[in-house]
Amino acid sequence: MSDPSVPIRPAATVLLLRDEPEFQVLMVRRHHQIDFASGALVFPGGKTHEGDHDPAWAARTIGWDATPEAERPFRIAAIREVYEEAGVLLARDAAGEPFLGDERAHDARDAVSKDERSLIGLMDELNLKLDLGALTVFARWITPPLTPKRFDTWFYVARADSDQLAICDGWETVDAEWIGPAKALELAAAGERKVIFPTRMNLQLLAEANSADDAVARAAARTLVTVEPKVERRAEGQVLVLPPDAGYGVVAEPLSSVGA
């Protein structure tokens, strides 16, 4: 069933948070024709691209020097993905003010998503800088060798400006929804939303916070433990277990329900 030879692809995702009208996280529903997590409610994210490694980003980012070199492409990918999938661009203008979006950024989104133009080129045109410092590491998960695709995914939390709107791209995602973490879990348990195992675990961890600031503070204080789920055979059958010190508590998920 497992294949250790499957390559592990670097990826990044963002838990974008707001407190009005209540503590909520932005989630998008994957297009049913996408080959990974089709139809699922997920956080905006995806694989890193070659352009995320461009050294020219040093001049088009805030927080470049404060970000570990190996992590910079993940943060750039995370910001790019939330822009492509939800239309929110975590950037600042020449005056250092948060960028709330404009027609040029909206019109360029499809071309950036399809690699017809580069995000860094758009930043040059708009005279913006990606705000790497807006992201706080939340978790890191490496997919176990159980599926045809494996990912090394960095999860970040970030606060959204109250004036930023989220609009799905209609290509990879077909719906964008601000939702309370506990509500998302409730809908998943009722079968009204499809939520895959890693998303569910991170929603549970997020639900321990009571506000965006609290969630970011908890993430900053937590020691990062990379999560690489392991399969164990027990009397009740095969279960997926997580490292006990990763912050999720004791998890022994029946393998049959992991995709639920």
Side-chain angles (χ1 to χ4, degrees):
M1 179 173 60
S2 65
D3 183 1
S5 68
V6 174
I8 300 175
R9 308 178 184 193
T13 190
V14 178
L15 284 66
L16 196 62
L17 311 175
R18 71 179 187 183
D19 289 320
E20 295 180 4
E22 60 184 3
F23 176 45
Q24 296 177 323
V25 61
L26 177 65
M27 303 192 75
V28 294
R29 185 158 54 88
R30 301 276 287 175
H31 196 288
H32 71 280
Q33 292 181 336
I34 296 292
D35 59 359
F36 176 74
S38 62
L41 199 62
V42 298
F43 310 117
K47 300 185 296 294
T48 62
H49 291 182
E50 183 178 351
D52 303 330
H53 297 262
D54 191 337
W57 276 115
R60 277 295 165 202
T61 53
I62 296 170
W64 179 266
D65 291 334
T67 303
E69 182 177 358
E71 199 190 326
R72 290 168 185 162
F74 288 95
R75 292 193 180 224
I76 292 167
I79 294 174
R80 175 180 51 74
E81 286 288 341
V82 78
Y83 165 62
E84 292 178 1
E85 293 191 355
V88 175
L89 185 56
L90 297 174
R92 292 185 178 270
D93 62 22
E97 295 298 319
F99 178 69
L100 302 181
D102 64 17
E103 188 173 331
R104 291 176 299 168
H106 175 76
D107 291 345
R109 184 175 158 205
D110 187 57
V112 172
S113 298
K114 295 178 179 178
D115 291 329
E116 295 171 355
R117 65 178 301 182
S118 69
L119 180 59
I120 195 168
L122 178 63
M123 296 299 96
D124 288 337
E125 179 185 328
L126 300 181
N127 195 21
L128 298 174
K129 292 185 177 182
L130 296 190
D131 191 359
L132 303 186
L135 303 181
T136 299
V137 176
F138 185 80
R140 182 185 182 187
W141 282 57
I142 297 178
T143 311
L146 300 171
T147 59
K149 291 187 177 182
R150 301 185 66 194
F151 299 95
D152 176 357
T153 304
W154 286 73
F155 291 77
Y156 296 95
V157 284
R159 302 175 191 84
D161 190 281
S162 59
D163 292 325
Q164 288 174 318
L165 300 177
I167 304 172
C168 68
D169 63 7
W171 178 41
E172 290 191 3
T173 60
V174 294
D175 192 22
E177 180 176 7
W178 288 99
I179 187 170
K183 182 64 175 179
L185 291 167
E186 178 186 322
L187 293 174
E192 296 180 35
R193 297 288 192 282
K194 176 182 177 182
V195 178
I196 59 176
F197 177 66
T199 305
R200 179 155 44 88
M201 291 295 100
N202 283 298
L203 278 170
Q204 289 180 190
L205 189 57
L206 183 63
E208 295 177 4
N210 54 39
S211 69
D213 283 346
D214 186 30
V216 172
R218 286 170 179 262
R222 204 161 42 237
T223 298
L224 179 65
V225 175
T226 299
V227 176
E228 188 168 2
K230 305 294 184 184
V231 176
E232 292 185 0
R233 187 179 297 277
R234 300 185 178 180
E236 64 272 24
Q238 288 186 312
V239 297
L240 207 61
V241 299
L242 305 186
D245 56 349
Y248 301 89
V250 177
V251 177
E253 184 83 4
L255 202 58
S256 59
S257 68
V258 165

